[in-house]
Amino acid sequence: MKIEKYATPRELGQAAGKLGAEWIRDAIVKKGEANIILATGQSQFETIETLVQDKRIDWSKVRMFHLDEYIGMPITHKASFRKYLTERFIDKVGGVKEAVLINGENDPEEERKRLEEKIGRHPIDVAFVGIGENGHLAFNDPPADFDVEDAYLIVNLDLQCRQQQLGEGWFNNVEEVPLQAISMSIKQIMKSDRIICAAPDRRKAQAIKDCLTLPVTNMHPSSILQEHPECVCFLDEGSASLL
């Protein structure tokens, strides 16, 4: 793993988005298309903004996979990750080759199987991920399952994870935060050729220290990124403050 530190979340996001755009263009040159994974949440605002502003990417050759989504979440809700990706990415790039979004309103098991079949046919070139306040990777809260082969999982969200979603302003109280989600699995994320991890903000500092400096363990799920052959983790002054 390579770690880069920047002064602010904006500078972090600009650097992460710039490298991600370079890797996407590289995949298109080599394969004729690029398959990417996009994360959501406050930590990804600047990274995605930088990506969509890159005029050198032919988005008609890019297939986007969605990292995670709440079960039972309507797309009209402000916390919907489908809504987030539609408004912040899909609508702004003017047409991707395909957007494989998770529909949390479908039968969860049927939706999980649909997504698994789809991603199985399209190996991922670039994954954009973050690190949660509890160290989660996607919605794989501790203790995360590092061994399950399924590409997508139905997962239970722990209290710290749900409190993070409340703290970011997506819900009015913690009781509103769904208890379950459909999440890409750890093994599936780690199959990505390249990974961009954007993790800004002081509230992430303890998780960053645990995941990047301690031995790999499923109690700090994002620590598994230490083992990926081509992962760059982007931090700012706040998130790196305990390193």
Side-chain angles (χ1 to χ4, degrees), residues 9-79:
R10 173 155 293 279
E11 292 176 30
L12 177 162
Q14 289 171 339
K18 182 179 178 181
L19 179 60
E22 177 185 321
W23 283 355
I24 292 170
R25 295 195 304 271
D26 185 53
I28 293 172
V29 168
K30 292 178 178 176
K31 298 171 47 182
E33 66 173 27
N35 298 308
I36 69 172
I37 298 167
L38 286 186
T40 52
Q42 283 187 356
S43 65
Q44 305 302 309
F45 284 167
E46 291 82 5
T47 300
I48 291 178
E49 181 182 338
T50 301
L51 266 185
V52 302
Q53 291 174 349
D54 194 306
K55 304 303 181 185
R56 295 170 294 173
I57 298 174
D58 183 350
W59 292 107
S60 69
K61 297 179 179 178
V62 177
R63 179 180 293 101
M64 183 215 75
F65 285 88
H66 182 176
L67 192 64
D68 47 28
E69 180 62 283
Y70 301 107
I71 288 176
M73 178 65 69
I75 196 170
T76 53
H77 194 290
K78 67 178 181 179

Side-chain angles (χ1 to χ4, degrees), residues 33 35 63 65 98 114 116-123:
E33 66 173 27
N35 298 308
R63 179 180 293 101
F65 285 88
E98 187 175 11
R114 179 186 75 86
E116 183 157 297
E117 188 275 333
K118 190 74 172 178
I119 204 168
R121 293 188 279 113
H122 301 290

Side-chain angles (χ1 to χ4, degrees), residues 211-225:
C211 292
L212 303 191
T213 68
L214 298 179
V216 174
T217 167
N218 66 350
M219 295 307 296
H220 304 306
S222 292
S223 66
I224 194 70
L225 295 175

Side-chain angles (χ1 to χ4, degrees), residues 30-235:
K30 292 178 178 176
K31 298 171 47 182
E33 66 173 27
N35 298 308
I36 69 172
I37 298 167
L38 286 186
T40 52
Q42 283 187 356
S43 65
Q44 305 302 309
F45 284 167
E46 291 82 5
T47 300
I48 291 178
E49 181 182 338
T50 301
L51 266 185
V52 302
Q53 291 174 349
D54 194 306
K55 304 303 181 185
R56 295 170 294 173
I57 298 174
D58 183 350
W59 292 107
S60 69
K61 297 179 179 178
V62 177
R63 179 180 293 101
M64 183 215 75
F65 285 88
H66 182 176
L67 192 64
D68 47 28
E69 180 62 283
Y70 301 107
I71 288 176
M73 178 65 69
I75 196 170
T76 53
H77 194 290
K78 67 178 181 179
S80 164
F81 296 140
R82 283 184 294 161
K83 177 181 175 67
Y84 178 114
L85 290 173
T86 298
E87 294 177 349
R88 295 180 176 274
F89 177 73
I90 298 168
D91 289 348
K92 292 192 175 181
V93 299
V96 291
K97 183 181 184 73
E98 187 175 11
V100 185
L101 296 174
I102 303 169
N103 188 342
E105 296 180 275
N106 287 344
D107 176 88
E109 181 60 21
E110 291 302 313
E111 183 69 358
R112 188 194 70 75
K113 290 178 180 177
R114 179 186 75 86
L115 296 162
E116 183 157 297
E117 188 275 333
K118 190 74 172 178
I119 204 168
R121 293 188 279 113
H122 301 290
I124 300 300
D125 300 295
V126 187
F128 294 84
V129 302
I131 294 176
E133 291 176 30
N134 64 354
H136 71 201
L137 183 58
F139 268 147
N140 297 286
D141 290 333
D145 192 328
F146 282 178
D147 301 316
V148 64
E149 295 288 346
D150 295 338
Y152 284 86
L153 307 172
I154 296 170
V155 297
N156 298 317
L157 306 182
D158 72 18
L159 181 58
Q160 188 176 2
C161 170
R162 294 167 64 227
Q163 287 174 330
Q164 176 181 331
Q165 311 311 315
L166 173 64
E168 290 187 3
W170 303 110
F171 298 92
N172 296 316
N173 54 69
V174 74
E175 287 74 24
E176 287 186 6
V177 185
L179 297 173
Q180 290 188 309
I182 297 174
S183 175
M184 191 174 291
S185 69
I186 296 288
K187 271 209 166 181
Q188 180 61 50
I189 294 168
M190 291 293 285
K191 289 178 182 178
S192 306
D193 284 349
R194 291 165 157 174
I195 297 178
I196 299 276
C197 178
D201 299 332
R202 177 64 180 79
R203 60 194 171 88
K204 302 283 185 76
Q206 187 62 53
I208 295 299
K209 179 181 179 181
D210 293 342
C211 292
L212 303 191
T213 68
L214 298 179
V216 174
T217 167
N218 66 350
M219 295 307 296
H220 304 306
S222 292
S223 66
I224 194 70
L225 295 175
Q226 295 180 39
E227 298 184 353
H228 195 277
E230 196 158 4
C231 173
V232 182
C233 189
F234 293 83
L235 309 178

